[in-house]
Amino acid sequence: MGKAEIVVISLAVLAAFFIPKSLLQFKNRSRNAYPSTGEILRFDAAQVDKLIPHDANIEILVNGYVWTEGPLWVPHEDTGFLAFSDPVMNIISAWEPRKGLRVLLDKSGCQHDGCLSFREPGSNGLALNTEGELTICQHGERCIALLHANGTQSVLANRYNSKRLNTPNDLVYRSNGDLYFTDPPYGFKEMEESPLKEQPHNGVYLLRKGAVDPILVIPDQSKPNGVALSLRESKLYVANSDPDAPYLYSYALNADGTVQGPPTVLFNMSDYVARGWAGLPDGLKVDAYDNIWLTGPGGVYILTAEGTLIGALRMEFAVANVAWGYDWDDAMDRWDTYLYLTASSHICRLRVISNILPPYVPKLKALEAAKMAEQDAQAHDSEL
């Protein structure tokens, strides 16, 4: 049993295994049998065809939440599940193929009596550290927290220069265990004007593995939100959720993870904001081709590493973030790879071509076993 699996089991022990009546989920469906939504746009068909099958749809798995955020595929036993936050409901939930929904962690971002002082008191971004432990951006507690295998929590970071952080929003680990996280004021009721705000900036921080004090690496971005690393970890991408500066920034990194200098505006979403489409630059993920899947006004934008727009998922509601994951297809008798979306009150997904998964996504034991069996069968056939 791996460390990641131990953490998931501890989450299951903590969880109240129930589904709120307000939530609607669609269960026991085969490929493309869920309700569908949105549109897939292929501006550069040759490139997008390498990423998304032509028979794929954007599917709605669940709806009825207030605002879904922080999707993360968590390995568990032979498969896994999608963990995600609702910062308003103050819970972390899980959607597992065949088993559906369950609540993993109640009071996921605020455990104290002052939760009413927050517009979004709950958790937001989620990640697994190099030991497979769940790392949580907690708005109400104003910290980055670590959930241990025994169910206890510890604080990784909650202050900078002796002042409380704002409301940590999103995070991404380097392969060496160092952690980047963004710290905008979105969780506060009054946001920038909140009397709770102690930091003079909305920072992006680097927390070294084993350290207790974060390093402020980006002090001057107006509304930092989603954060991701390029495949070689040479660039840090930060989405800016500011309607007056709705940009995806790219920062060149030094070998030690610090920022080299001023950023490049990799993608400007001003035109899409002007159209009144729902959403702002928010969460993002990178694929095996180093393409960037960026949520923003009207859906998800697929960009090359140079910032060229090659495709999009046009959605009628705001999309907060995305994550890579899996599901078993009964009809095809195989594992499929998906891009899962936290989209307003919904959990959605899009089937993608499996070889676009970046190396940091945990591989399924069952999927690896199936590949080995297929390779063995091919080797056997070649010998006949």
Side-chain angles (χ1 to χ4, degrees):
M1 181 179 294
K3 292 182 179 179
E5 296 168 87
I6 294 173
V7 172
V8 173
I9 291 171
S10 73
L11 281 170
V13 171
L14 289 172
F17 288 92
F18 67 89
I19 302 171
K21 292 181 179 179
S22 62
L23 302 180
L24 175 62
Q25 60 178 333
F26 305 95
K27 299 173 67 176
N28 301 322
R29 303 276 189 146
S30 59
R31 174 191 290 182
N32 291 346
Y34 290 92
S36 62
T37 187
E39 181 182 5
I40 302 167
L41 305 177
R42 301 171 189 260
F43 305 127
D44 186 330
Q47 292 200 60
V48 177
D49 288 352
K50 298 177 183 178
L51 312 175
I52 305 172
H54 276 274
D55 62 343
N57 294 320
I58 304 167
E59 303 170 310
I60 301 175
L61 305 177
V62 177
N63 62 35
Y65 283 87
V66 180
W67 179 250
T68 57
E69 266 282 10
L72 170 70
W73 187 265
V74 182
H76 174 41
E77 297 177 345
D78 288 336
T79 56
F81 58 78
L82 183 77
F84 58 95
S85 299
D86 188 320
V88 181
M89 295 176 68
N90 198 15
I91 58 173
I92 295 174
S93 298
W95 180 88
E96 186 169 357
R98 296 181 174 274
K99 295 182 180 180
L101 276 174
R102 66 182 184 272
V103 174
L104 284 179
L105 190 61
D106 196 14
K107 298 182 179 179
S108 62
C110 188
Q111 296 97 35
H112 58 78
D113 294 335
C115 295
L116 294 179
S117 300
F118 293 83
R119 122 183 211 274
E120 294 180 348
S123 58
N124 197 315
L126 307 173
L128 295 178
N129 67 8
T130 51
E131 285 73 41
E133 296 175 304
L134 186 66
T135 314
I136 308 171
C137 288
Q138 296 186 329
H139 283 183
E141 300 300 323
R142 302 170 66 178
C143 73
I144 303 294
L146 194 64
L147 182 64
H148 300 286
N150 62 4
T152 62
Q153 295 184 33
S154 62
V155 173
L156 291 180
N158 64 359
R159 293 181 182 272
Y160 173 73
N161 276 353
S162 301
K163 296 180 180 180
R164 295 289 304 276
L165 295 175
N166 297 322
T167 53
N169 186 277
D170 199 14
L171 69 173
V172 63
Y173 275 102
R174 298 178 75 197
S175 56
N176 69 353
D178 290 351
L179 177 69
Y180 294 100
F181 67 92
T182 59
D183 187 39
Y186 305 142
F188 297 141
K189 274 189 175 179
E190 299 88 351
M191 299 181 69
E192 289 284 359
E193 306 304 320
S194 173
L196 298 176
K197 192 176 192 302
E198 299 179 24
Q199 294 295 338
H201 47 253
N202 300 321
V204 181
Y205 296 89
L206 170 62
L207 182 67
R208 303 285 189 201
K209 184 176 182 180
V212 294
D213 295 317
I215 302 166
L216 180 64
V217 291
I218 303 172
D220 53 359
Q221 196 168 317
S222 58
K223 297 288 177 63
N225 196 324
V227 61
L229 286 162
S230 63
L231 279 185
R232 294 187 178 181
E233 301 184 350
S234 61
K235 299 175 184 177
L236 182 71
Y237 302 125
V238 185
N240 199 50
S241 294
D242 184 341
D244 296 322
Y247 308 143
L248 174 64
Y249 290 109
S250 174
Y251 295 85
L253 296 177
N254 296 308
D256 65 354
T258 55
V259 171
Q260 284 186 8
T264 299
V265 175
L266 197 64
F267 194 63
N268 184 342
M269 308 189 98
S270 297
D271 289 346
Y272 307 107
V273 172
R275 297 178 191 183
W277 291 351
L280 287 166
D282 204 330
L284 63 154
K285 293 294 183 294
V286 173
D287 67 25
Y289 297 104
D290 231 1
N291 297 314
I292 304 158
W293 298 62
L294 169 68
T295 64
V300 181
Y301 296 75
I302 308 171
L303 313 171
T304 66
E306 295 73 36
T308 301
L309 180 64
I310 60 173
L313 310 180
R314 181 73 176 92
M315 304 284 284
E316 61 187 87
F317 33 75
V319 182
N321 211 333
V322 293
W324 306 111
Y326 304 93
D327 194 3
W328 177 260
D329 187 335
D330 286 327
M332 302 298 291
D333 194 32
R334 70 182 188 192
W335 289 101
D336 281 334
T337 306
Y338 286 89
L339 180 77
Y340 285 89
L341 300 81
T342 48
S344 187
S345 61
H346 311 278
I347 298 297
C348 303
R349 71 178 184 183
L350 169 73
R351 184 164 51 87
V352 295
I353 294 173
S354 61
N355 62 1
I356 75 167
L357 278 186
Y360 61 79
V361 177
K363 301 298 186 295
L364 300 185
K365 289 183 179 179
L367 184 59
E368 292 300 299
K371 286 182 179 178
M372 290 179 64
E374 182 179 0
Q375 291 170 357
D376 289 344
Q378 291 173 350
H380 176 73
D381 290 342
S382 65
E383 293 172 359
L384 297 179

